[in-house]
Amino acid sequence: METATYNLKRFRREILRQFLMFGSLLLLFIFFSLSSPNFFTFGNIVSIMLATCVNGMLALGVTFVIITGGIDLSIGTVMTLSAVMSGVFITYWHLPVFLGILGGVGTGMLCGFANGVVISKMKLPPFIATLGMMMVAKGLALVISKAAPIYFTHAPSFSRIAMGSLVGKLFPGFDVPNAVLIFIVSIVLASIILTKTVVGRYDFAIGSNEEAARLSGLNVDKWKTVIYSLCGIFVGMGGVMMASRLNSAQPALGQGYELDAIAAVVIGGTSLSGGEGSTIGTVVGAFIMSTLINGLRILSVPQEWQIVVSGIIVIGAVYLDIIRRQG
Amino acid sequence: MKEPLVLMEGIDKSFPGVRALENCRFELMPGEIHALVGENGAGKSTLMKILTGVFQKDAGHIIYKGKEVRIPNPRAAQELGISIVHQELNLMPHLTVAQNIFIGRETRRKGFSLFLDEEEMNRRAQELLEMFHMRIDPRIKVQELTVAKQQMVEIAKALSFNAEVLIMDEPTATLSEAEVGELFQILRKLREKGMGIIYISHRLEELKEIADRVTVMRDGHYIGTLNIQEVTIDRIISMMVGRNIYETSSKGRIDADAEIVLEVKNLSRGREMKNVGFRLRKGEILGLAGLVGSGRTEVARAIFGADPVDSGEIYVKGQKAHIKSPSDAIRHGIAYLSEDRRRYGLMLGLSVEDNVILPSMKDFLNFNCFINRKKSKEKCEEYVGKLRIKTPTLAQKVKNLSGGNQQKVIVAKWLMKNCDILIFDEPTRGIDVGAKSEIYKLLNELAEEGKSIIMISSELPEILRMSHRILVMCEGRITGEINAQEATEELVMKYATMRNKNE
Ligand SMILES: Nc1ncnc2c1ncn2[C@@H]1O[C@H](COP(=O)(O)OP(=O)(O)OP(=O)(O)O)[C@@H](O)[C@H]1O
Ligand SMILES: [Mg+2]
């Protein structure tokens, strides 16, 4: 009987955690809605969602890495490199759009794979390895594009990947861009991978106690490489989405995105020391960030102050998480 | 004669600066329980890690069922049918019991081999745990379990492999007597099925009860293998240490008017502690006995300020003390040596010296900020010598010491701090006979110097031998108080199982 009541207590605590997280987001919504009539409109909600997509993609990817107790600082510039590569495929080489997409996503995966190999085989700390990759990817993006944006003017279908609206076709009036749809599918995918498959299980196992995982017979090096590559796939998708949204690959954009993504993950309750985390948390974290920026902009708070507030929110959210963990 | 299941011959292994094994030998027959004993750092764990693919041997042969084998990694050992319970807990705290048991060989959903079949794993884990009479919910996260329960999960996991060779590196160190009995029954059953079991333990009394043969190691060397019936415990000890061992004299009574240094009143928290109260006198060794999970550690941690309490008062030397954190406790002269050394006791990545001087750093500072290395080195060397800590240098990282020597480092750390009230939670867990008696001697010396000691231990003989007075706990309450003269194992067990029927 003891375990039953115990389970119940644990269950309640878990519910409370989830609730608090959604609650914070809801509170933000209510606050901004009351402050400005321009906030809670269909158009603005869609623009919040759209703003969340790219950061959310990166955050989903890096969630896997952070759960192993690692970190990936290269996601921002690898995203840029992926965008540039799809530009190279489509605009320079005139390949079909779907190959361009594959090329972009593949680039992300390759960079993730390289990170994984450097970390697991060469035993570099993730922080250093991915810091290196961050610079390599940034440099490559500039070299390949000759430091100029690549436009997708030849391939009008490319911009529809993100900005077209399948939903709008089915339900006229509800012009939710495809980017949002792709993001939702990615969330579902990431959740399934994390909670239902071996990859997810080993992800948590490695983060919880790497030595124990090794002694249990897991090929830790292999699984780490898989997880960094997986992160790369999400980053690559983020890159393609970004390029499609801007209808161009901007080689100078991207640095700094990694920190926003990591902030979203952390706000979502994923522990930087590994072993704990969820995709839902990350998604809510990403939404909290973009809702905040959006709302502050509508209230005409200067951009500099928006950054200050975001910083405070990161600290506050993690503090809240620490408190509810103790409770 | 039957063919041995495992034969290890001429095994050498060196680590930087340490010759851990030299020309070592070990033989295991099917259907036997073979004990492996030796002092801390003798090389027992290292030898077993070579057999299970954690370390690679520098030289020698491993012959398994008549054929020479290579064991490059833990997976390879599992595939050969060799499974091990490591000396240190090796679980993933954030995963559930079932997830831990089946890690690396999860049941997959039929049809989709990428997907996990969680219910099936929970069900199988439940079956496994029930088969061994372990009352643990497979869905619970391991970090929510006590150390003893975690140890049982570890054992269940090793048993789930249906291996032919089962290695247990000090499985009983964290278990209570009842649980040990349970484990022995399981081991006997497995032996009947023809499994070969290697059993490492520092509780030599256990060997007579469970083992068929015993192999003794000393300083990385093979000393000999004997049938357990033909050998006395004393003979084993002398093979292990090759020197005489300190014996404690029986305890007298502490003066009834000796100063009361610590008084605890009405300490309570939830179901774990109920109205715990007692007094500790100057120069007294107070034993805290009880089954694992009876709340002894909770009391110790509460006094030390490591966990909050619902209610209760603590008086140090007659003054009410407000202890909210360990640093408050240390300021009041209370030290606590934790039972789970890996989690709370040591900084594994730091050197022996850094670990030992940490709590007493203040005594080694010049101008309040520079560490006086010379002084700290001298002092550390003194304690390393006293406790016979086996380490090549003071700069060795603690994680590279053998399990028992890590435990000694914690003891050294708190002895050096020179607190007046010392709480030792299972101080001799995993420590060899020689070092155990050193620690007993130190405890007695400390008490004679006028320090007061609370000693928690699951080993009854130890509690009986060391304490002036024994408090027995059961389900969070103090159920009995016994003076050293009247104490017997039966009496302690009677109080330890005095459950409150009204609940
Ligand atoms: N990874 C390592 N690096 C360096 N030295 C090591 C390492 N592992 C073990 N040693 C050393 O090898 C020797 C044997 O250690 P081992 O752990 O086998 O002892 P043990 O017999 O199991 O002792 P205990 O009873 O304390 O567990 C010790 O001197 C130890 O310091
Ligand atoms: Mg050992």
Side-chain angles (χ1 to χ4, degrees), chain A residues 76-108:
Chain A
T77 56
V78 167
M79 174 193 81
T80 311
L81 184 62
S82 302
V84 167
M85 284 312 287
S86 53
V88 168
F89 282 146
I90 296 171
T91 305
Y92 286 7
W93 296 352
H94 299 288
L95 292 176
V97 168
F98 82 93
L99 278 185
I101 297 172
L102 274 184
V105 175
T107 304

Side-chain angles (χ1 to χ4, degrees), chain A residues 205-234:
Chain A
I206 292 170
S208 186
N209 186 344
E210 187 171 330
E211 180 64 6
R214 197 170 74 86
L215 292 176
S216 304
L218 294 198
N219 187 341
V220 172
D221 290 354
K222 175 182 120 189
W223 288 107
K224 270 194 187 167
T225 311
V226 167
I227 287 161
Y228 278 90
S229 308
L230 185 67
C231 169
I233 293 180
F234 281 96

Side-chain angles (χ1 to χ4, degrees), chain A residues 35-77:
Chain A
S35 311
S36 162
N38 300 332
F39 180 79
F40 203 77
T41 61
F42 179 74
N44 192 45
I45 300 297
V46 166
S47 83
I48 289 177
M49 291 216 255
L50 199 58
T52 313
C53 285
V54 172
N55 183 34
M57 272 309 201
L58 302 195
L60 280 180
V62 81
T63 301
F64 286 94
V65 166
I66 290 179
I67 290 175
T68 63
I71 193 85
D72 190 344
L73 296 177
S74 70
I75 50 179
T77 56

Side-chain angles (χ1 to χ4, degrees), chain A residues 156-306:
Chain A
S157 63
F158 186 74
S159 90
R160 258 181 273 141
I161 300 170
M163 300 314 285
S165 178
L166 272 179
V167 180
K169 269 194 194 130
L170 291 173
F171 307 99
F174 286 93
D175 292 317
V176 180
N178 289 341
V180 175
L181 220 60
I182 298 174
F183 182 45
I184 291 172
V185 172
S186 306
I187 296 170
V188 174
L189 218 72
S191 301
I192 292 177
I193 295 175
L194 193 63
T195 56
K196 302 273 184 243
T197 71
V198 244
V199 183
R201 177 58 39 79
Y202 295 167
D203 198 0
F204 283 107
I206 292 170
S208 186
N209 186 344
E210 187 171 330
E211 180 64 6
R214 197 170 74 86
L215 292 176
S216 304
L218 294 198
N219 187 341
V220 172
D221 290 354
K222 175 182 120 189
W223 288 107
K224 270 194 187 167
T225 311
V226 167
I227 287 161
Y228 278 90
S229 308
L230 185 67
C231 169
I233 293 180
F234 281 96
V235 173
M237 294 201 288
V240 173
M241 206 187 245
M242 184 80 165
S244 162
R245 221 183 99 191
L246 302 176
N247 205 11
S248 63
Q250 301 282 349
L253 217 67
Q255 188 145 36
Y257 277 54
E258 65 281 343
L259 297 182
D260 283 344
I262 292 168
V265 174
V266 169
I267 291 176
T270 296
S271 152
L272 276 182
S273 47
E276 283 177 278
S278 72
T279 44
I280 297 303
T282 294
V283 171
V284 174
F287 268 111
I288 289 180
M289 301 258 305
S290 45
T291 306
L292 197 74
I293 297 292
N294 178 288
L296 292 175
R297 196 179 300 143
I298 285 181
L299 298 187
S300 337
V301 174
Q303 198 186 356
E304 296 75 15
W305 281 106
Q306 293 172 16

Side-chain angles (χ1 to χ4, degrees), chain B residues 285-304:
Chain B
I285 300 181
L286 178 66
L288 205 50
L291 302 177
V292 171
S294 58
R296 297 167 304 173
T297 297
E298 283 73 14
V299 170
R301 287 178 59 93
I303 296 173
F304 191 56

Side-chain angles (χ1 to χ4, degrees), chain A residues 1-7 10 13-14 192-202 204-219 223 271 273-276 325, chain B residues 53-55 74-75 78 84 86 89-96 99-100 102-106 108-109 113-118 121 135-137 139-141 143-145 157 161 271:
Chain A
M1 241 32 260
E2 200 176 330
T3 54
T5 53
Y6 191 70
N7 269 339
R10 202 159 42 107
R13 208 195 307 158
E14 204 40 47
I192 292 177
I193 295 175
L194 193 63
T195 56
K196 302 273 184 243
T197 71
V198 244
V199 183
R201 177 58 39 79
Y202 295 167
F204 283 107
I206 292 170
S208 186
N209 186 344
E210 187 171 330
E211 180 64 6
R214 197 170 74 86
L215 292 176
S216 304
L218 294 198
N219 187 341
W223 288 107
S271 152
S273 47
E276 283 177 278
R325 248 166 240 253
Chain B
V54 178
F55 293 150
R75 188 22 78 75
Q78 285 171 9
I84 181 164
H86 283 284
L89 283 173
N90 268 300
L91 297 169
M92 283 139 283
H94 300 94
L95 302 192
T96 68
Q99 289 170 352
N100 264 285
F102 293 111
I103 191 79
R105 52 203 172 100
E106 291 76 7
R108 312 291 175 83
R109 277 199 194 288
S113 67
L114 205 58
F115 288 80
L116 303 170
D117 191 344
E118 213 75 47
M121 277 191 270
R135 284 177 40 199
I136 300 171
D137 181 352
R139 288 171 195 82
I140 226 162
K141 277 193 186 164
Q143 63 188 356
E144 323 245 355
L145 299 175
K157 176 177 165 188
F161 281 96
R271 302 170 58 103

